[in-house]
Amino acid sequence: MNWPGKAPEAGAPAPLAPLTPEQQRVYDTGKTLFNSLCMACHGDDGKGREQGPALIGSQFALASPQVPIRILLQGKEGSIGLMPPLGATLTDEQIAGALTFIRRQWGNAAGPVDPGTVKEVRAATTGQGQRLQPTPER
């Protein structure tokens, strides 16, 4: 059990740094997008459904931001399901928002995703045109 001013217990995860006002705005955009687009496959609780894998503790969603950005931009094929490419449909801010929401929801403790990073990854991967087939090491 933790409370302000209490020293963290040994082995306890470090508390998440609060979002800046701009990061909170991006998060809120992502929450709205998740609820209207992503929830159907991944569930409102992040536990996944038949069509989409769980996002709680997901090695892909919580990896370096470039990994989930590429998955959203270009899609992904693999044994745990198919993620359609959304790069042509979503803006950099929408992708950053959805990922920031996912990475900080349901007990996930990853950092926010910046729209500028999405823009860089989009520019670096434009024209590749094939879905990722990530291995567990990615």
Side-chain angles (χ1 to χ4, degrees):
M1 186 179 302
N2 292 318
W3 58 84
K6 179 184 179 215
E9 296 178 24
L16 281 176
L19 296 174
T20 66
E22 177 61 17
Q23 290 169 335
Q24 184 64 51
R25 187 187 65 72
V26 171
Y27 172 95
D28 292 341
T29 297
K31 180 178 181 180
T32 300
L33 179 68
F34 182 88
N35 289 333
S36 66
L37 181 64
C38 312
M39 185 170 56
C41 294
H42 295 285
D44 62 345
D45 56 6
K47 292 182 180 177
R49 295 194 174 157
E50 186 176 327
Q51 317 85 304
L55 298 171
I56 299 170
S58 165
Q59 66 180 353
F60 298 117
L62 303 177
S64 168
Q66 289 78 4
V67 172
I69 289 169
R70 286 191 64 189
I71 290 171
L72 263 63
L73 287 173
Q74 297 181 309
K76 183 190 80 55
E77 295 177 1
S79 61
I80 59 172
L82 172 71
M83 175 71 196
L86 299 174
T89 313
L90 300 177
T91 67
D92 297 340
E93 184 167 309
Q94 288 173 318
I95 290 173
L99 291 174
T100 296
F101 175 76
I102 290 165
R103 291 162 61 91
R104 296 183 70 92
Q105 193 65 12
W106 313 296
N108 288 338
V113 175
D114 182 73
T117 304
V118 178
K119 182 177 181 175
E120 291 170 6
V121 173
R122 186 188 299 267
T125 59
T126 296
Q128 290 187 358
Q130 66 183 37
R131 291 189 180 126
L132 295 179
Q133 297 180 342
T135 61
E137 293 82 37
R138 275 194 176 171

